[in-house]
Amino acid sequence: MAHNTMLLLLAICGLISTVGLTLSPADLLRPTAASWGTRLLLRHAETEPAAVDFGGTTRYPPLAVLRPASAGDVATLVRSAARLSSRPVPVSARGHGHSINGQASAPGGVVVQMNSFVGPLRRRMAAPVYSASVGGYLVDVWGGELWADVLNWTLAHGGLAPRSWTDYLHLSVGGTLSHAGISGQAFHHGPQISNVHELDVVTGKGELVTCSEEQNSELFHAVLGGLGQFGIITRARIVLEPAPQMVRWIRVLYSNFTSFTRDQEHLISLHGRLRFDYIEGFVIVDEGLINNWRSSFFSPGNPVTIGSIGGAGRVLYCLELTKNYGRHTTAEEVDEEIEMLLQQLDFIPASEFITDLPYVDFLDRVHKAELKLRAKGLWEVPHPWLNLFVPATRIADLDRGVFRGILGNKTGGPILIYPMNKHRWDERTSVVVPDEDIFYLVAFLRSAVPVLGDTTKSLQYLNRQNQQILEFCDSTGIKVKQYLPSYNGRAEWERHFGPERWERFLRRKAEFDPSCILGTGQGIFRPVSSPFSSLTPS
């Protein structure tokens, strides 16, 4: 794309503002609003929930919320919003509202509430079908469908399941595909965006387009990991596999970080049958329990602490592994394979903990913990999360400077750390990862739950600590990339993407959303508040 065209795009997107907008939602949507009836929500009480998200640190009220009954509704809305050429109005898709810095918001615009689809179930998910060209089963699902419901549907229709997951299943399909979708299976199957065969997308021009590797491939790869900038996913064709019945779930502990990372990187290099199906790790400091809100691995009546295994006063690292079985593998065969794998690892001998549970229960483990936290009023609190992709060659520096330095012995929540293989990621998508064959996710999943007399659990403290972590990485030359990124201003976004990928990002934006009306809550082409400013929780 010509340099002048890119400059024009930036000028248009930078100058568009909803400040001073005098149109009412009814005026904006008058050509089509009558046909939507009660699916278009205009009253403050109806739109207010869409102003906040799981992060709990931002509030961006929309003008209206649309509960679509079809992809055609979404396309009609976007065309109406884009038609106001003098002042196009923002439109953003929202699934389960699990964004953390207002990324799914539409300040002064219209939020499309994708998980409020009002059509019948058969229009949201079709029965899985076998594809000879793919060599497996596929399922078509509505973009706002929750992964938990996709799992239940495919299990009930052939005992099948998607093969790549997130740790939390109550996220929308379109939402995770707009970022990447990662969990402990990503080292082998790749992220969720590497396991989708076809999409229906409403572009920023209001065009409903079917795209795949072979058809409209530029849009297909742009939307995957595209942060909602190029289109709204209304249908996704997901790759499936036969679901296992049971999971052997293992946790082992390390006191030596080098051994911990060396073993993780060894395990993700294994191929064939003799390997684990899921590999994640997390950091434990002196104050923490080995158990945490992400699971119910240990009995609440018999919690396991660091001190109970002689780890008091140290940082420990937990390696979490699973082996699936029950369809073509017996428990005895799994025992033998796990023993062979564990013999290759250098963990603390007395720290091996093993349990068995149904496959579905393992996948849904975080939701069960969510229900307990909701009952205590500890779920809907601010979540100043920071998720980083870290090059494997610098992960030890992060341990020294952050886990053993900046954090002290206060974490504020789980800290995940696990490696992935870059060759499982498609560089044609919009996701940005470090330029190394192996990189780690390091996720600081903290909750701001103020405690009288303890400022380390406040939102302000955790935000400031997040900033310190980023500044440490910058000052020491650790070239991290944010996952679920949130930056301040165009210069930071350019740096995130790098020159070539930024130019491609701009070219795709000009092609698929020339009015810059999509994904404005992300703050790439329209300014939003800093995620590290001291904001009052909603």
Side-chain angles (χ1 to χ4, degrees):
M1 185 175 66
H3 181 64
N4 289 341
T5 304
M6 284 192 286
L7 290 177
L8 177 60
L9 171 65
L10 290 173
I12 292 172
C13 293
L15 290 174
I16 292 173
S17 172
T18 57
V19 176
L21 181 64
T22 58
L23 289 173
S24 70
D27 292 331
L28 162 66
L29 305 170
R30 193 178 302 281
T32 52
S35 64
W36 285 331
T38 59
R39 300 199 301 278
L40 184 66
L41 310 179
L42 304 173
R43 295 192 297 271
H44 174 77
E46 298 172 323
T47 62
E48 178 61 22
V52 296
D53 60 17
F54 179 74
T57 61
T58 61
R59 182 179 178 276
Y60 299 125
L63 290 172
V65 172
L66 175 68
R67 299 171 63 238
S70 67
D73 276 356
V74 180
T76 299
L77 168 68
V78 174
R79 282 196 301 272
S80 298
R83 193 158 45 220
L84 297 172
S85 58
S86 61
R87 197 186 294 270
V89 173
V91 176
S92 286
R94 174 186 171 100
H96 198 49
H98 209 265
S99 55
I100 53 176
N101 288 303
Q103 290 98 329
S105 64
V110 184
V111 168
V112 183
Q113 191 66 54
M114 295 293 289
N115 71 335
S116 296
F117 189 94
V118 297
L121 183 62
R122 68 176 183 276
R123 291 173 56 190
R124 289 169 24 204
M125 287 190 282
V129 296
Y130 182 80
S131 169
S133 61
V134 175
Y137 284 87
L138 303 167
V139 65
D140 286 333
V141 301
W142 171 249
E145 203 67 63
L146 299 184
W147 283 102
D149 295 329
V150 174
L151 174 62
N152 291 331
W153 176 267
T154 57
L155 285 174
H157 293 77
L160 302 165
R163 59 192 185 188
S164 186
W165 293 101
T166 54
D167 285 336
Y168 181 57
L169 300 189
H170 288 250
L171 305 173
S172 69
V173 170
T176 65
L177 294 181
S178 295
H179 289 89
I182 55 175
S183 183
Q185 303 90 359
F187 78 94
H188 180 66
H189 292 297
Q192 289 182 318
I193 58 173
S194 296
N195 294 274
V196 59
H197 189 67
E198 185 178 275
L199 300 171
D200 282 348
V201 174
V202 174
T203 70
K205 294 182 283 189
E207 299 170 343
L208 179 58
V209 181
T210 298
C211 55
S212 65
E213 290 268 3
E214 298 79 23
Q215 181 182 8
N216 299 307
S217 61
E218 186 71 15
L219 177 61
F220 180 72
H221 293 116
V223 169
L224 294 174
L227 307 175
Q229 294 300 307
F230 311 109
I232 296 174
I233 298 170
T234 59
R235 178 184 64 89
R237 181 166 290 174
I238 305 299
V239 179
L240 305 174
E241 66 178 2
Q245 295 172 327
M246 298 293 294
V247 167
R248 178 70 50 81
W249 189 7
I250 306 148
R251 283 184 177 175
V252 293
L253 298 178
Y254 292 75
S255 59
N256 183 284
F257 187 75
T258 300
S259 298
F260 173 66
T261 54
R262 183 180 60 238
D263 283 358
Q264 285 200 80
E265 291 176 30
H266 166 66
L267 290 175
I268 72 168
S269 73
L270 300 178
H271 303 286
R273 180 172 175 176
L274 190 60
R275 62 170 175 81
F276 286 109
D277 295 296
Y278 162 99
I279 300 170
E280 286 194 10
F282 55 91
V283 179
I284 309 168
V285 299
D286 191 53
E287 69 164 17
L289 292 176
I290 296 169
N291 199 15
N292 59 64
W293 64 262
R294 293 179 60 252
S295 69
S296 54
F297 190 84
F298 302 108
S299 167
N302 185 30
V304 179
T305 63
I306 291 178
S308 69
I309 58 169
R314 297 183 295 172
V315 176
L316 294 182
Y317 312 93
C318 180
L319 182 56
E320 189 172 63
L321 311 161
T322 71
K323 187 71 176 174
N324 301 333
Y325 69 97
R327 187 169 290 274
H328 300 293
T329 308
T330 65
E332 290 74 20
E333 291 172 322
V334 169
D335 287 337
E336 182 178 347
E337 291 176 7
I338 289 176
E339 183 178 357
M340 294 174 64
L341 288 166
L342 291 182
Q343 285 176 351
Q344 304 171 31
L345 307 183
D346 189 23
F347 55 87
I348 299 172
S351 69
E352 183 179 326
F353 301 93
I354 299 178
T355 189
D356 288 75
L357 72 169
Y359 180 66
V360 174
D361 289 353
F362 173 75
L363 292 180
D364 205 33
R365 63 199 182 282
V366 176
H367 178 58
K368 293 180 179 179
E370 172 196 349
L371 296 178
K372 296 177 182 178
L373 290 176
R374 283 188 181 278
K376 298 177 181 179
L378 297 177
W379 183 258
E380 293 181 354
V381 298
H383 297 93
W385 287 8
L386 177 64
N387 298 272
L388 303 176
F389 287 145
V390 183
T393 58
R394 301 301 305 274
I395 196 65
D397 296 318
L398 198 79
D399 174 55
R400 287 188 291 269
V402 177
F403 304 152
R404 299 174 181 272
I406 293 173
L407 294 182
N409 68 339
K410 302 287 186 179
T411 63
I415 302 174
L416 305 187
I417 172 172
Y418 58 90
M420 288 171 277
N421 293 307
K422 187 175 181 179
H423 71 268
R424 298 292 184 184
W425 297 63
D426 191 330
E427 292 191 353
R428 294 171 295 177
T429 68
S430 295
V431 177
V432 181
V433 299
D435 191 20
E436 290 193 6
D437 292 339
I438 296 175
F439 61 93
Y440 281 77
L441 172 75
V442 179
F444 302 88
L445 308 181
R446 284 99 75 80
S447 300
V449 185
V451 176
L452 188 63
D454 185 356
T455 61
T456 64
K457 292 181 170 58
S458 70
L459 175 61
Q460 290 75 17
Y461 180 90
L462 295 175
N463 275 338
R464 186 166 60 251
Q465 200 171 69
N466 283 344
Q467 189 63 49
Q468 289 175 331
I469 293 169
L470 292 174
E471 289 172 355
F472 168 79
C473 293
D474 188 51
S475 65
T476 56
I478 304 176
K479 296 181 179 179
V480 300
K481 298 296 182 182
Q482 286 192 33
Y483 178 59
L484 311 178
S486 181
Y487 294 101
N488 299 320
R490 184 162 63 90
E492 291 188 10
W493 281 106
E494 285 190 58
R495 182 181 178 187
H496 170 74
F497 283 102
E500 292 184 9
R501 296 183 70 91
W502 176 245
E503 182 176 347
R504 185 181 70 179
F505 198 84
L506 291 177
R507 173 171 48 80
R508 287 172 167 176
K509 187 71 170 178
E511 180 177 358
F512 301 120
D513 182 26
S515 298
C516 296
I517 64 172
L518 297 180
T520 56
Q522 194 73 56
I524 303 177
F525 299 105
R526 301 186 187 208
V528 294
S529 299
S530 165
F532 300 119
S533 60
S534 296
L535 301 174
T536 302
S538 300

